[in-house]
Amino acid sequence: MPQVPQTFFDALAVRTWCGLALAALGRAREEIDAINVYPVADGDTGTNLYLTMESAVAAVEAVFAGHEAGGPPTGGPPTSKGKPTLAEAARAMAHGALIGARGNSGTILAQLLRGMAQVLADDSEAAHTDGQGLRLALRHAADSARDAVAHPVEGTVLTVASAAAEAATDAEGDCGTVARAAYEGAGTALAATPDQLAALARAGVVDAGGRGLVAVLAALVETFTGEAPRAVAVSGVHARVRDAAAAVDPVAEVCGAGGPAFEVIYLLEAEDAAVARLRRRLDALGDSLVVVGGDGLWNVHVHVDDAGAAVEAGVEAGRPYRIRVTHFGAEDAHMTGEAGRQPRERAQRAVVAVVPGEGLAGLYTEAGATTVLARPGEPPASGELVEAVRRAHAREVVLLPNDADLRHTAAAAAEQARAEGVRVALIPTRSAVQGIAALAVHEPDRRFDEDVVSMTSAAGATRYAEVVIAERQSWTMAGICQAGDVLGLIDGDVAVIGSDVTLTAAAVVDRMLAAGGEMVTLVLGDEAPAGVVDHVETRVRESYLAVDTVVYRGGRQGALLLIGVE
């Protein structure tokens, strides 16, 4: 069905473009993975680009949802209902791509989107921009991406981005005209990449990252014209994809090149001066260094032999998190042994769980689960859950989303994992306390179906609640709340509105135990006031005979207190 064209580059155009780009990358993912031979032939460029764009789409959708609800998605002053400004949508796109960037190609794509957003958001009150604004955005995107790479190489996505910007600069007209010129310039440059990079010429393919960028630019054309552009001619690459995929052995390519053994990626909270020192330190440790971001938040990507040293350099610069280390040159991409070593045997069964704080991550890990950390306002994408399933390296996986809003994301991840040959059961846990109950009865030695039924039953028998602070005035099941009120939510609905965290927590527990219960689980957040747990424990002990209480430290989990009653 033809896309309704956007006349100007406004917030809706950002949303449309991101959605079309994600769909285009989804269609081209396998093809792009197959032609991935540089800088490392690990066959994941298409997947990394898709996951990066998926994160950008989620962030843009969250901004639109916040405006449609009449309030911002992550706090701040209330917003008017309707659509966000161009600046808000562009910044969300850039931030989403930054925090979700994967691999060398995804990190560069994130910087390209950030570079565009810096121009599009320059006037925070502007409703839209025109062809001239798009030309400037594409130029700044190409320049900022090149600046982010420690040692730019021609014949890569950087070359394709520069060609797109140059072609756009020469174009006169509206956004559709400029986008089409950029797309055609990128396609021409992509076809020439084998002449610039020997690794591509040997494999008979074009640059995989550049191919992905062409797909993203095709989506930009469709956004402004309503029609997908005609595919650019790329020197017969489509006819050679299968031959290239069969001819290029990723293990031989990596090991034969004598390159670094590990890919290290992490998000980093740090000042600009510290990041400048980090760049120099990491450049001395390895290659393929790309550092993107700004305003205190960065995404760091590097290939090194000493993964520990790369992480330590991040610790010295600021606070690294979402650290991912991938070992090259092994059949199992998540194996951390030496090159050439046989991949480790798959476990029979594993549990993969989404957890809201570092404390709970430690608890779940001790119980044998593979965890995905969900920070407040940053829910994991389906790709992160798929990656965790792969990391668990098991034939059978029980997936615990631990959040009602993640059910569809988890279902998509489960389908992807099943397509890869893993038997996956999704237990629709709505809170981390339900996940704790499920883990408590998990027995990997019994039949899979029996284990899943037992875990599902335990989770379903656990009522869940949380104590949070209201961000804005709102209508609730318990009445009208004001910003700053303490809310007690039971099974997802507001049941108690108070002014004191301790008293509200006690009232929530009272309501839950009125229906019976044998055990109360309390998970304390970092920002909870001192004494709240002692008060609740004392109340349970004095008022409810034969009811036990167990307490865990959740860390930065968003909610002040999570409560479970079994």
Side-chain angles (χ1 to χ4, degrees):
M1 183 176 180
Q3 177 69 36
V4 177
Q6 304 295 315
T7 306
F8 295 103
F9 208 152
D10 59 4
L12 185 57
V14 172
R15 185 188 204 182
T16 302
W17 177 36
C18 288
L20 290 172
L22 182 64
L25 289 172
R27 292 190 297 270
R29 181 183 62 81
E30 291 185 0
E31 173 197 327
I32 297 172
D33 281 345
I35 62 174
N36 172 202
V37 299
Y38 183 87
V40 176
D42 48 357
D44 63 358
T45 290
T47 300
N48 288 336
L49 289 170
Y50 179 85
L51 294 177
T52 301
M53 184 56 71
E54 182 183 49
S55 184
V57 168
V60 172
E61 290 300 325
V63 166
F64 270 84
H67 276 265
E68 289 164 3
T74 56
T79 62
S80 59
K81 288 189 177 182
K83 70 178 183 180
T85 64
L86 171 61
E88 290 172 325
R91 290 187 186 118
M93 172 186 71
H95 180 73
L98 176 67
I99 64 174
R102 300 301 183 88
N104 187 71
S105 55
T107 307
I108 293 174
L109 175 61
Q111 188 66 7
L112 286 167
L113 296 180
R114 177 179 171 81
M116 290 192 69
Q118 287 175 322
V119 174
L120 297 176
D122 186 52
D123 183 352
S124 59
E125 299 301 322
H128 62 261
T129 191
D130 54 12
Q132 172 65 9
L134 179 55
R135 283 195 293 270
L136 294 174
L138 289 167
R139 178 75 271 168
H140 186 63
D143 292 344
S144 61
R146 189 170 288 268
D147 290 342
V149 178
H151 301 285
V153 175
E154 298 306 328
T156 65
V157 63
L158 298 177
T159 305
V160 177
S162 294
E166 290 166 8
T169 301
D170 294 335
E172 295 292 339
D174 59 12
C175 288
T177 301
V178 174
R180 189 178 296 279
Y183 168 73
E184 292 174 352
T188 300
L190 178 64
T193 54
D195 299 328
Q196 298 171 292
L197 206 52
L200 302 179
R202 286 196 301 270
V205 297
V206 295
D207 179 66
R211 171 67 182 87
L213 179 58
V214 167
V216 172
L217 291 173
L220 188 64
V221 175
E222 186 174 357
T223 298
F224 294 116
T225 67
E227 297 180 351
R230 181 177 300 177
V232 294
V234 187
S235 300
V237 62
H238 299 292
R240 293 200 296 262
V241 166
R242 289 184 180 174
D243 292 340
V248 178
D249 180 351
V251 175
E253 183 80 12
V254 173
C255 297
F262 298 96
E263 178 184 59
V264 178
I265 307 174
Y266 49 80
L267 290 178
L268 177 70
E269 294 177 357
E271 300 297 327
D272 290 6
V275 171
R277 293 191 295 272
L278 175 66
R279 288 179 191 268
R280 293 191 292 271
R281 174 88 179 273
L282 293 179
D283 194 25
L285 286 175
D287 59 28
S288 296
L289 173 61
V290 186
V291 180
V292 305
D295 301 320
L297 180 62
W298 309 82
N299 192 304
V300 179
H301 170 279
V302 67
H303 294 173
V304 293
D305 283 319
D306 190 343
V311 175
E312 288 172 8
V315 173
E316 292 177 5
R319 187 179 75 85
Y321 60 100
R322 289 197 183 181
I323 300 168
R324 295 189 293 273
V325 178
T326 302
H327 180 245
F328 295 130
E331 289 182 34
D332 176 7
H334 301 287
M335 191 179 83
T336 55
E338 297 183 6
R341 175 179 166 186
Q342 290 297 316
R344 59 188 172 94
E345 182 69 21
R346 282 186 178 273
Q348 180 59 34
R349 189 174 308 157
V351 176
V352 172
V354 179
V355 292
E358 294 89 343
L360 280 176
L363 173 67
Y364 273 73
T365 300
E366 288 177 6
T370 298
T371 61
V372 178
L373 188 61
R375 295 184 178 277
E378 297 179 7
S382 61
E384 292 181 74
L385 302 189
V386 173
E387 186 176 273
V389 171
R390 293 170 180 154
R391 194 167 69 246
H393 201 61
R395 297 182 181 89
E396 302 168 339
V397 170
V398 179
L399 184 56
L400 306 176
N402 290 340
D403 186 335
D405 291 337
L406 287 179
R407 184 169 183 178
H408 295 300
T409 300
E415 284 301 315
Q416 175 63 36
R418 292 182 188 117
E420 296 178 6
V422 181
R423 187 181 185 188
V424 181
L426 171 60
I427 298 179
T429 48
R430 296 171 175 265
S431 170
V433 292
Q434 288 189 323
I436 291 172
L439 266 180
V441 300
H442 169 53
E443 292 185 15
D445 292 333
R446 64 184 165 193
R447 289 179 51 222
F448 184 62
D449 292 339
E450 292 177 355
D451 198 28
V452 171
V453 168
S454 179
M455 294 176 72
T456 302
S457 177
T462 302
R463 300 188 68 197
Y464 64 95
E466 60 181 358
V467 178
V468 300
I469 303 298
E471 295 182 347
R472 57 183 177 271
Q473 184 186 63
S474 180
W475 290 88
T476 76
M477 296 290 289
I480 300 175
C481 71
Q482 305 295 330
D485 282 348
V486 182
L487 306 181
L489 290 82
I490 299 177
D491 295 336
D493 293 322
V494 175
V496 179
I497 300 175
S499 58
D500 181 86
V501 173
T502 300
L503 296 179
T504 301
V508 168
V509 171
D510 283 340
R511 290 202 179 197
M512 297 177 77
L513 287 175
E518 299 175 352
M519 175 178 288
V520 175
T521 300
L522 304 174
V523 183
L524 188 66
D526 276 352
E527 298 182 0
V532 60
V533 165
D534 290 341
H535 180 86
V536 173
E537 280 190 298
T538 300
R539 183 168 184 79
V540 171
R541 184 172 59 253
E542 294 177 352
S543 303
Y544 302 95
L545 298 178
V547 176
D548 296 324
T549 304
V550 60
V551 179
Y552 302 109
R553 297 280 175 177
R556 287 171 293 181
Q557 61 185 22
L560 300 175
L561 187 68
L562 298 177
I563 304 169
V565 172
E566 302 174 50

